[in-house]
Each structure stands twice: as C-alpha cells, then as structure tokens.
Amino acid sequence: MSVQDRVAIVTGAAHGIGEATAGVLSGQGATVAIADIDLSAAQIVAEQLNAGGGHARAYLCDVAKPAAVAQLVQEVVNDCGRLDILVNNAAICPRIAITDMTEEWFDRIVDINMKSVFFLTRAAAEAMKVRGWGRVVNISSTGGRVGGVYNSTVYSGTKAAIIAITKTMAREYAAFGILINSVAPGAVDTPMMTKGNATLESYIQTVPLRRLAQPIEVAHSIAHLCSDETTWVTGATLDVNGGVVMV
C-alpha cells in the first residue's frame, strides 16, 4: 500500500486507533498531522514518529467546533502545502445509562463523534479538490451496525449516522476524485472499550475470534482505504470486528 509523499490528518491521534493509524501512515511515507485535544500527548506521538524517520507534527484541535476544524485544515495546508488524506477518528464513549443521559452529555457526544465528521470532511474536501485526489476514512463502529452493547446508546447512534454521512458525502465528492469510506471496528483493546465496561468478557465470547483487536489491526485496514491502491471503493463501510457482525 502506498501513501508515499501524501499529507494526512488523523484526529484523536494521540491514543488508540488514531495513534496506530498515524504510525502506519507515517511508516508508509506520509506526512501526518497528529490532531488531538490533548496537545502534549499529540506532541509525544509526533516526536516518536519523527525519531523513527517519519514526518509528523502535532496540532491542537477541538473537533467539536466547526471553526476549529476549518482552522486545522488551513494550518496543515499552510504548513505542508497540501492535504490528501483525512481520518476522522476522534470520538468519546462515556458509559451512561439511558435513564441517566443528560442533554449536555447527549450534545457533547454528538458534537465530538458526528458533527465533527461532517464539518471536518467538508473542509478537507475543499482542500483536496485542488488536486483532484483525496481519501477520507470515517471511523464508525459495530455499535453503529447493531446498536450499543453496554450504556452506549447515543454513541452507537452517532456511529450509525457516520455510515449514512459517509455514503452521502461519497456521492457528493466522487466527481472530484475524492473517495470517502468508513471503517466499523468491533471491540478494540483501548480504554474506550475496556474502561467501565461490565459486559466486556461476555461480549468477547460472542466474537468468533474470541479476543479484542489490537489498534494496529484496525489501523492497517484504515491505511488501505487511504492508499493509492484503493481506486474503486467509495461510500463503503469495512467491518473489522473479528466476525461478530457479518453484513
């Protein structure tokens, strides 16, 4: 897979799937913008990638704010001269029961998980149009396919919405050479999945491969959709879930 000399933004790249994805893209020759609300952690990731011979730079971004994501795109284009790849990975999944969900938390989950995908993809696509080439990968979830497993109703709703947004935007931007797809991971060994999840062990027993995924396993699938070799796939959702859901 080739992303040599491409410029990529990965959101939520200071940890988990985002960090692993940034590492894979960097290792394949892309310049990677490590975008995260935790700037110090993003800087550590960028430093590690650069120390390994990659090209990365940390950017502070609150993806819940449309003005902030527009500024992120502009800063990356100013710094790197172009933008080719966007991975919308940033998300939160507070474990809140339906009866305990507040309007404040509802809006926060929607803003970070879903609204950010729309506004950042729109801003990135405008920058990609200039070159007539682009790749966008939105991170959905198995929860977006079948519903939440444990106190993740609103989270799962946002992840289902991402699948629909992906399809609609893929149609809109195909004429400009921009391919937009999503990846729907199952249970991944990150704090988002494991922290406070009282049903984790029983869930693992429903997975044919009988284990959690490692972030790097999802990252390789994301990187494939970002690559030059992906030329005839758009509006699709790739299920990377160990077989727990087969669509």
Side-chain angles (χ1 to χ4, degrees):
M1 295 182 291
S2 175
V3 292
Q4 185 69 41
D5 299 326
R6 300 294 188 186
V7 175
I9 293 174
V10 181
T11 66
H15 307 281
I17 293 172
E19 179 182 358
T21 301
V24 172
L25 294 176
S26 176
Q28 293 177 358
T31 296
V32 185
I34 311 296
D36 205 283
I37 199 167
D38 185 345
L39 181 59
S40 60
Q43 289 171 330
I44 291 172
V45 173
E47 290 167 2
Q48 291 172 340
L49 293 179
N50 291 334
H55 298 281
R57 180 168 177 169
Y59 292 84
L60 174 65
C61 185
D62 181 353
V63 297
K65 299 177 180 178
V69 299
Q71 181 179 347
L72 171 65
V73 170
Q74 189 59 58
E75 288 179 355
V76 171
V77 171
N78 289 344
D79 292 341
C80 303
R82 60 194 289 175
L83 176 61
D84 305 296
I85 295 166
L86 168 64
V87 179
N88 280 306
N89 168 75
I92 59 171
C93 182
R95 300 289 175 178
I96 302 174
I98 293 173
T99 52
D100 295 329
M101 180 61 66
T102 64
E103 183 178 7
E104 181 181 8
W105 265 115
F106 186 103
D107 290 345
R108 180 165 174 75
I109 297 167
V110 169
D111 287 351
I112 293 172
N113 294 10
M114 185 186 76
K115 187 169 78 173
S116 66
V117 170
F118 177 87
F119 284 102
L120 183 47
T121 299
R122 186 178 70 176
E126 291 305 307
M128 293 171 183
K129 279 183 180 181
V130 176
R131 294 181 176 273
W133 194 99
R135 301 288 185 269
V136 178
V137 180
N138 301 320
I139 308 307
S140 179
S141 168
T142 297
R145 290 290 204 187
V146 300
V149 174
Y150 177 71
N151 289 346
S152 58
T153 306
V154 180
Y155 169 84
S156 298
T158 63
K159 293 301 183 175
I162 284 172
I163 294 174
I165 289 171
T166 297
K167 293 175 181 179
T168 307
M169 286 191 149
R171 291 189 183 98
E172 178 75 18
Y173 291 108
F176 303 98
I178 301 168
L179 308 185
I180 303 178
N181 295 289
S182 66
V183 169
V188 181
D189 191 6
T190 67
M192 179 184 288
M193 182 65 193
T194 60
K195 186 177 180 180
N197 189 343
T199 64
L200 183 61
E201 290 304 319
S202 60
Y203 176 82
I204 290 173
Q205 294 309 305
T206 70
V207 180
L209 293 183
R210 293 292 191 274
R211 63 176 178 85
L212 300 179
Q214 294 303 307
I216 192 68
E217 295 179 283
V218 181
H220 282 302
S221 295
I222 295 168
H224 176 69
L225 292 173
C226 295
S227 70
D228 290 337
E229 285 71 29
T230 295
T231 57
W232 194 238
V233 181
T234 196
T237 297
L238 177 61
D239 294 290
V240 186
N241 57 41
V244 69
V245 175
M246 301 183 187
V247 178

